[in-house]
Amino acid sequence: QSVLTQPPSVSEAPRQRVTISCSGSSSNIGNNAVNWYQQLPGKAPKLLIYYDDLLPSGVSDRFSGSKSGTSASLAISGLQSEDEADYYCAAWDDRLNGWVFGGGTKLTVL
Amino acid sequence: QVQLQESGPGLVKPSQTLSLTCTVSGGSISSGSYYWSWIRQPAGKGLEWIGRIYTSGSTNYNPSLKSRVTISVDTSKNQFSLKLSSVTAADTAVYYCARESILTGYHGAYYFDYWGQGTLVTVSS
């Protein structure tokens, strides 16, 4: 059972928009920044969004992040087949004094 | 370009100690404000943070693993290491090392920006 809650899977057609939710609590998302990671099959995770809504250099602006209270969301617009991957949210937890991750969401582009 | 590379035995016997090293290239491990973390992922499952070490040597560990984990740094070799004692089959996973950067001036702005490729460690007799 992960501290942060994500849907196990989402699917959408190419060129459409999809959102992935991440729910936490006041000790993690509610008080600290949320980061999102993309993990392609067989690869290491890659930073996708940091500090809730900032894009690292080189990441497509089709990806965007937002946060409200103790929940965060990742949105992907203009879906492409190459976006098929697992997506993880993460935040520092002040109560546990450590990083916590969501369980991951598998994105399927139909 | 910073690169991280994990190394260590791919097979460890139950009850023994798992030892991994992460070698950092493209930058000094002791420069800048960075934490250096270990993260693992059992096959088909999610990511689990194990712990981290700051350039000063201070550490934070996952409470669920704290009694078995030691993370250390060797600045002369530009490496940091993980030791996990009393391993069981439940510790079988891909182990990643990662750099945690800090966005100065912003509360709680930490993120893993560089990751190693990961190394599979199997616990089996």
Side-chain angles (χ1 to χ4, degrees):
Chain A
Q1 190 80 352
S2 301
V3 174
L4 304 182
T5 301
Q6 297 180 235
S9 64
V10 294
S11 60
E12 187 52 89
R15 298 179 297 281
Q16 299 304 305
R17 183 177 184 272
V18 70
T19 61
I20 297 172
S21 62
C22 176
S23 177
S25 68
S26 59
S27 64
N28 41 67
I29 294 177
N31 198 43
N32 293 299
V34 176
N35 306 316
W36 291 89
Y37 300 90
Q38 177 193 58
Q39 187 175 35
L40 296 171
K43 300 294 186 181
K46 168 192 167 185
L47 180 65
L48 202 61
I49 297 285
Y50 68 105
Y51 199 59
D52 300 338
D53 58 9
L54 299 182
L55 260 66
S57 174
V59 172
S60 170
D61 60 5
R62 296 187 298 105
F63 296 93
S64 62
S66 63
K67 188 177 84 172
S68 178
T70 59
S71 294
S73 291
L74 170 70
I76 311 171
S77 60
L79 276 172
Q80 302 174 3
S81 59
E82 66 205 51
D83 298 330
E84 284 203 336
D86 293 323
Y87 293 85
Y88 293 90
C89 59
W92 182 263
D93 191 294
D94 294 328
R95 182 176 60 84
L96 298 175
N97 203 33
W99 283 98
V100 291
F101 287 91
T105 298
K106 182 176 181 60
L107 169 64
T108 300
V109 181
L110 301 171
Chain B
Q1 175 80 345
V2 173
Q3 293 185 312
L4 290 80
Q5 178 69 55
E6 305 89 351
S7 60
L11 180 65
V12 181
K13 288 180 166 44
S15 80
Q16 294 191 342
T17 296
L18 178 161
S19 295
L20 294 174
T21 296
C22 182
T23 301
V24 179
S25 58
S28 171
I29 199 171
S30 56
S31 68
S33 298
Y34 302 115
Y35 285 95
W36 303 92
S37 277
W38 287 97
I39 297 157
R40 69 180 183 179
Q41 184 175 36
K45 296 189 177 181
L47 301 166
E48 179 181 35
W49 178 74
I50 299 170
R52 69 182 187 181
I53 189 164
Y54 192 55
T55 49
S56 66
S58 66
T59 54
N60 299 100
Y61 297 131
N62 185 323
S64 68
L65 299 169
K66 187 174 183 177
S67 63
R68 299 194 291 132
V69 174
T70 302
I71 296 176
S72 59
V73 64
D74 187 336
T75 55
S76 67
K77 295 182 179 179
N78 229 34
Q79 297 174 335
F80 64 106
S81 298
L82 167 71
K83 290 188 185 300
L84 181 65
S85 64
S86 305
V87 297
T88 69
D91 295 310
T92 294
V94 174
Y95 285 74
Y96 296 100
C97 57
R99 188 183 83 169
E100 182 183 337
S101 285
I102 304 165
L103 193 60
T104 55
Y106 295 83
H107 170 71
Y110 305 85
Y111 50 95
F112 300 113
D113 55 353
Y114 288 98
W115 296 66
Q117 65 184 28
T119 187
L120 174 63
V121 178
T122 302
V123 178
S124 175
S125 55

